[in-house]
Amino acid sequence: MISSKYFGLQGHALSRLQTALIVAPSFILFGYNQAGIGGLITEDDWVKTFPQIDTVHATAAEESEKSTLQGFVVAVFVIGALFGALSCSYTGDRFGRRNVIFFAGICTLIGEVLEASSFGLPQFIVGRIVVGLGVGQLSSLVPVWQSETSGAKNRGRHVVLDGLFICLGYVLESWIDLGFFELHKGPATWRAPIAIACVFSLVLVSSVYMFPESPRWLLMVNKNDQACESLSVLRGLPQDSEEVQSEIAGIELSLEATANVGAKLSHLLKMGEDKLAYRFGLCILLQFYQQMSGSNLISVYAPILFQENLGLSSQISRVLSGGALTWKFLSSFLAFLAIDRFGRRPVFIISGVGMSCCMVALAIATSFPTSNRSSQIAAGCFIYLYNTFVPIGFLGANFLYCTEVAPLRLRMAMSSISTANHWAWNFVVAMVTPVAIYSIGWQYYIVFAVIAACIPVSVYFLFPETMGRNLEEIDLMFKQSPSAWATVQFEKKTRSVRLSQEFKDEKEIEGKLEHSEG
């Protein structure tokens, strides 16, 4: 019997609705609010309201100080997000996935109201911090909830949708900003674009309790009956079906195996049988790469790169920025198609190689004077090309991988700390970028090029494939591998054995069917 409290839906239909009402608003809020003021800081009314961060009309003596403060106002959102992500290491397991997501949605709503109604910089900064607090919690917790409620077959696609919706948030903000920019004067040029984000916050908070809680969290807090009901609805199968009972048993076995060990944050720094330090290191490194390969630089500061780095007009810069982010959104579908077909490792490697090459080309193109029309066109093209490679591996797949390699007892802690690491480097980029563009110019891109070049090498040697395995299988794979350095090769061997066994089983079934027909 299907429960009416889940819209009378179950299985894939319920999962699609969860994507539309929870995942989409959560990560649209992520992209929309992160990019939220990058394109507003040159608006006339914005400059009048916040003259302390006016770099458009600043004198040479004021430029350094005001650009630093401008970077801080953009980056203060990230401070809130960092603490929001870290808080989930406790609140996610203590209060459950849905409760924390609801609280995060309320935070984003309050912060957006504070921002849109600001008449002074202090209130605006408080609003940015509160919005960041909510977005940080969502970025840490929603991928965990997704991975824990999705089946192994399509888990990658479900979580990679996060990146697609982050891109959609960037796109919406960019074109909405351009639309209100055409008003030219008045507070509506910047207040309305910020206030529109409230719609997504309202959808999120009004929908979250209409979906089942994570069965893995319910089992962790000994709510076995509710866990069985939740998993049954999510899989679209009866509670007494073999598939549901088998998955419940696998989760319980994983919990029992670690019950005596406990769940302490200090365990993340120890190897032991579970190789937790190695797994934690993979998460930290992946989130570091996501930020320090230039993704946030291009997404948040695209209008400034076109206007101040390439010397284009304000309107043309906004149009090109909107186009670049729209192209990034369309390119996100490449990751959606590839993640469960080719695996996690190939998408990371392809993305890393592409980003590094584009950053090298961007450094060369911007090293010429802004009067050089050809170099301007080339730089614009490479920004677009860069936005083709980023979503393939580093706009959703990085969040997915961190939830996959973490053991159940420390999944929330590992996800929240690695996501906080993501926000910490995000803060560095947001703070440094305005100053770096004014001071070192084209050389700034070389930093990102070198870091992105490290991605394919480290992924090839250190990151095992997780595609097609359920979360408990991945946990067992790390435990059984002889060492951290040998884990990639061990995974390849066990995958080939597993595939050959599946092929053998299929042949035996076909043989029995032919025999029975004969």
Side-chain angles (χ1 to χ4, degrees):
M1 181 178 176
I2 301 172
S3 175
S4 60
K5 64 182 177 181
Y6 301 132
F7 304 95
L9 300 175
Q10 60 178 350
H12 293 304
L14 184 63
S15 177
R16 284 192 289 269
L17 194 62
Q18 181 190 31
T19 299
L21 296 180
I22 304 299
V23 180
S26 296
F27 286 95
I28 287 173
L29 284 169
F30 182 135
Y32 195 97
N33 283 297
Q34 184 172 3
I37 67 170
L40 302 177
I41 53 184
T42 55
E43 301 275 9
D44 288 341
D45 194 77
W46 170 279
V47 167
K48 290 176 184 175
T49 309
F50 308 116
Q52 306 96 314
I53 53 174
D54 173 19
T55 57
V56 178
H57 307 104
T59 62
E62 297 173 326
E63 200 169 81
S64 177
E65 181 183 345
K66 288 191 173 183
S67 63
T68 302
L69 184 57
Q70 183 188 92
F72 174 75
V73 173
V74 173
V76 77
F77 163 84
V78 181
I79 296 175
L82 192 153
F83 284 104
L86 281 175
S87 70
C88 289
S89 62
Y90 171 75
T91 59
D93 287 337
R94 177 69 177 82
F95 301 109
R97 311 326 190 204
R98 294 186 306 177
N99 291 334
V100 180
I101 290 172
F102 176 80
F103 177 74
I106 294 293
C107 285
T108 61
L109 184 60
I110 293 171
E112 286 150 4
V113 170
L114 287 171
E115 283 183 323
S117 61
S118 294
F119 284 93
L121 199 57
Q123 180 181 333
F124 190 84
I125 289 173
V126 171
R128 290 287 287 171
I129 293 172
V130 175
V131 170
L133 184 70
V135 169
Q137 292 173 89
L138 293 174
S139 66
S140 177
L141 199 54
V142 172
V144 172
W145 192 32
Q146 281 179 280
S147 66
E148 291 181 341
T149 56
S150 301
K153 185 178 180 181
N154 294 312
R155 184 177 62 244
R157 288 186 178 184
H158 286 169
V159 181
V160 162
L161 281 171
D162 300 352
L164 193 149
F165 290 126
I166 291 171
C167 259
L168 182 56
Y170 287 137
V171 170
L172 289 173
E173 190 282 328
S174 185
W175 290 115
I176 288 170
D177 171 33
L178 177 61
F180 283 96
F181 171 77
E182 294 300 327
L183 297 175
H184 299 298
K185 294 182 180 181
T189 55
W190 65 272
R191 294 188 191 276
I194 292 173
I196 285 172
C198 294
V199 174
F200 302 110
S201 299
L202 289 169
V203 171
L204 177 62
V205 298
S206 61
S207 304
V208 66
Y209 289 111
M210 298 177 185
F211 295 91
E213 179 59 274
S214 162
R216 286 172 169 83
W217 179 78
L218 290 169
L219 283 170
M220 196 162 62
V221 294
N222 299 315
K223 296 182 178 180
N224 294 26
D225 292 339
Q226 292 180 41
C228 191
E229 179 196 352
S230 175
L231 190 61
S232 170
V233 172
L234 290 165
R235 299 292 177 264
L237 297 167
Q239 291 189 35
D240 58 356
S241 68
E242 183 180 343
E243 292 87 346
V244 170
Q245 293 302 316
S246 175
E247 190 166 351
I248 289 287
I251 298 168
E252 288 178 332
L253 186 64
S254 178
L255 287 169
E256 288 171 8
T258 57
N260 295 329
V261 181
K264 296 179 180 178
L265 293 179
S266 59
H267 292 165
L268 295 177
L269 303 177
K270 300 175 182 177
M271 286 296 284
E273 182 190 13
D274 291 347
K275 301 175 183 65
L276 291 178
Y278 166 52
R279 292 153 83 167
F280 184 53
L282 295 180
C283 296
I284 293 293
L285 189 59
L286 205 57
Q287 298 290 22
F288 167 77
Y289 283 148
Q290 201 276 340
Q291 283 302 313
M292 294 307 294
S293 55
S295 175
N296 193 43
L297 167 72
I298 301 297
S299 296
V300 177
Y301 285 105
I304 295 176
L305 294 180
F306 283 117
Q307 186 173 346
E308 299 184 15
N309 199 219
L310 301 184
L312 302 175
S313 70
S314 180
Q315 187 169 25
I316 292 297
S317 296
R318 281 171 167 78
V319 172
L320 289 175
S321 174
L325 294 173
T326 303
W327 178 248
K328 187 176 184 178
F329 169 68
L330 295 174
S331 299
S332 299
F333 289 95
L334 294 174
F336 183 77
L337 295 172
I339 193 70
D340 282 325
R341 182 170 298 180
F342 303 114
R344 287 41 162 168
R345 281 162 52 87
V347 298
F348 290 145
I349 290 171
I350 292 169
S351 191
V353 171
M355 289 190 295
S356 180
C357 291
C358 288
M359 279 294 174
V360 170
L362 200 53
I364 294 170
T366 55
S367 66
F368 293 93
T370 55
S371 58
N372 188 317
R373 186 71 174 169
S374 299
S375 67
Q376 282 186 321
I377 294 171
C381 289
F382 284 115
I383 287 175
Y384 274 72
L385 187 59
Y386 179 87
N387 280 345
T388 305
F389 287 105
V390 174
I392 293 173
F394 286 90
L395 205 64
N398 50 307
F399 291 108
L400 164 70
Y401 196 86
C402 291
T403 61
E404 288 182 323
V405 302
L408 178 55
R409 78 178 193 274
L410 286 167
R411 182 169 297 134
M412 198 63 256
M414 195 175 288
S415 173
S416 63
I417 295 172
S418 63
T419 305
N421 171 66
H422 159 98
W423 288 112
W425 289 109
N426 189 314
F427 176 78
V428 171
V429 173
M431 273 296 295
V432 169
T433 296
V435 179
I437 289 173
Y438 286 119
S439 57
I440 61 173
W442 64 271
Q443 298 170 68
Y444 187 45
Y445 299 110
I446 295 175
V447 177
F448 299 106
V450 171
I451 293 172
C454 297
I455 294 173
V457 178
S458 57
V459 169
Y460 183 82
F461 289 106
L462 296 173
F463 288 71
E465 185 56 74
T466 57
M467 180 183 69
R469 297 177 183 268
N470 67 38
L471 300 177
E472 285 66 45
E473 282 182 303
I474 295 169
D475 189 31
L476 191 62
M477 181 251 307
F478 277 102
K479 288 180 180 178
Q480 292 180 342
S481 69
S483 69
W485 286 106
T487 302
V488 171
Q489 292 303 318
F490 177 78
E491 190 282 327
K492 290 179 180 179
K493 290 179 183 177
T494 56
R495 183 175 292 272
S496 62
V497 170
R498 182 182 176 211
L499 290 173
S500 63
Q501 183 61 44
E502 288 177 358
F503 179 76
K504 183 180 178 182
D505 292 343
E506 286 178 6
K507 287 295 182 183
E508 287 180 0
I509 292 170
E510 287 175 5
K512 289 178 182 178
L513 288 172
E514 289 174 1
H515 180 72
S516 62
E517 288 172 0

